[in-house]
Amino acid sequence: MSIQTKEIYGSRSAPSSSNGDKWSESLQSVFELVLESQGPERTARLLENLAEKLRAVAQSTSHGFNTPYINTISPERQAPFPGNRDIERCIKSYIRWNAMAMVVKANSTTNVGGHISTFASAATLYEVAFNHFLRGRTEGFPGDIVYFQGHAAPGIYARAFLEGRISERQLQNFRQELAEGGGLSSYPHPYLMPSFWQFPTVSMGLGPLLSLYQARFNRYLQARGLVKWKEEPKLWAFLGDGECDEPETLGAITLGARENLDNLIWVINCNLQRLDGPVRGNGKIIQELESVFHGAGWNVIKVIWGTDWDDLLARDKSGLLLKRMEEAVDGDYQKYSVEPGSYTRKHFFGKYPELLELVNRLTDDQIRKLLRGGHDARKMYAAYKTAVEHKGQPTVILAKTVKGYGLGEAGEGRNITHQQKKLNEKELREFRERFNIPISDDVIAETPFFRPAPESPETKYLLERRKALGGFLPERKVTAPPLEVPKLDTFAEFFRGSTTEASTTMAFVRLIGMLLRHKAIGRRIVPIIPDEARTFGLDALFKDIGIYSPKGQLYEPVDSKSLLYYHEAKDGQILEEGISEAGSISSFVAAGTSYATHGVAMIPFYIYYSMFGPQRVGDLMWAAGDIRAKGFLLGATAGRTTLNGEGLQHQDGHSLLHASTVPTLLAYDPAFAYELAVIVADGLRRMFAEGEEIFYYLSLYNENYAMPPMPAGVEDRILQGLYKFKPGPEGKKHKAHVFGSGPIINSALKAQEILAGRYDVSADVWSATSYKLLRTEALRCQRWNMLHPTATPKKSYVETLLAKEPGVFVAVSDNIRAVPDQIAPWVPGGLMTLGTDGFGRSDTRARLRRFFGIDAESTVIATLYALAEKRQVDRQLVEKAIKDLGVNPEKVQPQLV
Ligand SMILES: Cc1ncc(C[n+]2csc(CCOP(=O)(O)OP(=O)(O)O)c2C)c(N)n1
Ligand SMILES: [Mg+2]
């Protein structure tokens, strides 16, 4: 109820202060009387009843978290616009034209698509920010961080073209990246344009979520003393109103208020439309978002009406104009943007005769041109200025615009506008006229680009503004110096092995403990955990390095007397994200790109339940690839049977396959502590010493077994994905090879004994650490051979390794068969694979492994069957083994359709 009461009344209908004081005093004394005689609960009820009655007569009254449907900043409080409006309008018009032209041009000869209407509605939002607020990187200042709305990319390119940073050729090749001379990516993709784009945004919802965690990560870096900036950079995220339907957009906004992220500004372009039609035709998206953000503790600035409306509102003494503004729904407002002014006069103002009077001095054309706030540079400037100065909360600016603004008949405000990619000649002429673009009739049909001369006032102004603000944006620069990563011998203890049983998760806990103590990189490690530190045995870190909290620890933790108490600290190193995998991976992205964003390399280790990895947040992992994030993803409690009691929704046997689909992600499935250490050590070297922009996925398991010492000389092979771990005995009649991964290598080792002891088969056991890497290397060779058919063919690592190995090949792991199947085409004589296809269920490991057919006995049967298929043993032998080993041939099949 109390939200911004002053603003609610603005300067128009507020009672005069002396009268107001009298009324206030009288109400206060009545209130005190009631409170005293009736008690607080009854008083509250009475007041609520009265408020209800008030709402019934005055719709403008604030209720819940909403304020009236007018600008938050009243004209008196509006900061004056400091720029040259005429020049800025000119620049903006040229950018509008080029942004439209690049899409139209590209689609005149191709079908590559593109968007015109998103930027058309957002041009003022961007231009005011570019000319007055967004700061580039300078000495001692990393630059503001800006998330550009993906579909507005043409506008950002068009500006870079005017700035002279993008050539005409590139503009011409928008969405034709493989064309001669190179082209421009459809949307912001740092992977594709690594010196331009910094943050991928186009998968709706990811940009806002990433920006929240990035804002918090900026604070973390400062709190830990890893950066010292002259000023704190701001984070700006430009979003669509439709984008706010994504749970990722709004799902984490309380973080912003909880951690007082006043470095964060979201600008939501409320053009009232998404792709198919209105965002909230029957309601008001701005009001809906206002209440959500207010409720979440954000500072909300609504920019609904342009300057032309100030006078109308000021003259409306009856409050009817506001009433009418609140009555009309977004579907109506969309219609007003499409229809002529006469329609708005009749249907909007015409509802109340007093309102008709209010606009009787305006022509229909003037009514049609009454600007919405998001198209008015003065209103946007004031909103931005208030936002950057606001303390203690993040700010969201809700700016009302028209989708496809300026397209006229070709799409302005129309439901089809999002998909509009072509303009006919008449429409092009209208566009040119409306925005005053100096392009003559004879060439207009070709939609030529327009760039004012370098010495023109527009170019000078534009460049001078960027210079004053520190340089161009967006721009991605990698300046972080390489880190002194630990040498391989640092990990010697892992190479010696141990007879004490341990899991690879436990090995990882030891490993990260060691890295955290490492002189050169210890402080750069960022452990990220979604509420599972205790599950993985990482709670020991709480006390040692602390959990980051901007408030420190305001309470005495219940376990303060214990050794491993829950320790929050202002300079804590752990990011404990609570139960949010999406938030955690966002932190991973922020930390993993710090080398580019801030010039300070950080090393994130994000450890989580592997089931809630790519399956849950795969799109964010894909974005982590696009943004060139570095670091380690650790899918712990992996394995559909190794995590045995948790059942169907927890038991993961397919993340490695998901992970294999991300091009820059190296996916490993280590079996032993030494493999883990070799992979992590090499990852550190490649990413942080050599500067490779890749990241790692490692499965970690919770099954304990003795960790063997590392065989000599296998380091490179561990990294390449496959090596012989334990050869089978000599002097047997038959030969086989079993590839094992993770803890299931123990099935392979036990099968090796049974095969030798009972069936006269010598089986070599191999450790398969990465089917993905084996496959991609083989694919590279295959492609080269195909395209160089007469040259000496290249042989892949896996072919070379297996070429001289006689016998059959079997692979067994705790993953679905498609994981090892990845290398089948290159295995001599084919690969027989065993795996955990189907839903998991709760039971003992032994029973589950029998059920899925990945235990030692099942591996023996599969090996004998593979030999029988090659006619090397009798089929009867397989049948005998099935009986001998007590495997029920009619056992239930995991359901597969
Ligand atoms: C996750 C995801 N789902 C769907 C899309 C397809 N899509 C692209 S733009 C768009 C509509 C966007 O509307 P809005 O956020 O209001 O942006 P506007 O163009 O109106 O500014 C949709 C559905 C997408 N890019 N990402
Ligand atoms: Mg929209």
Side-chain angles (χ1 to χ4, degrees), residues 149 240-243 269-274 279 403:
Q149 195 188 350
D241 48 359
E243 186 171 12
N269 178 14
C270 297
N271 56 22
L272 316 186
Q273 287 179 247
R274 44 183 168 75
V279 181
K403 189 147 176 168

Side-chain angles (χ1 to χ4, degrees), residues 33 50 54 63 101 122 137 148 328 417 426 491 634 712 717 756:
L33 261 175
L50 287 176
L54 180 63
H63 47 88
R137 185 185 282 202
F148 295 99
T417 193
K426 178 173 163 276
F491 302 92
L634 303 137
R717 296 182 172 204

Side-chain angles (χ1 to χ4, degrees), residues 37 66 74 147 222 311 454 508 525 590 622 627 832:
S37 63
N66 272 129
S74 56
Y147 295 76
Q222 293 170 84
D311 170 59
F508 169 73
I525 309 278
W622 186 257
I627 199 172
M832 168 89 200

Side-chain angles (χ1 to χ4, degrees), residues 118 121 149 151 202-204 240-243 246 269 271 273-275 279 403 418 619:
T118 299
S121 66
Q149 195 188 350
H151 296 78
V202 77
S203 175
M204 312 248 117
D241 48 359
E243 186 171 12
E246 292 284 3
N269 178 14
N271 56 22
Q273 287 179 247
R274 44 183 168 75
L275 192 152
V279 181
K403 189 147 176 168
H418 191 88
D619 203 12

Side-chain angles (χ1 to χ4, degrees), residues 279-302:
V279 181
R280 296 287 183 273
N282 292 319
K284 282 197 180 58
I285 188 63
I286 290 180
Q287 297 302 83
E288 180 179 324
L289 290 175
E290 176 187 40
S291 70
V292 170
F293 280 95
H294 267 156
W298 285 50
N299 175 40
V300 181
I301 302 175
K302 298 195 288 191

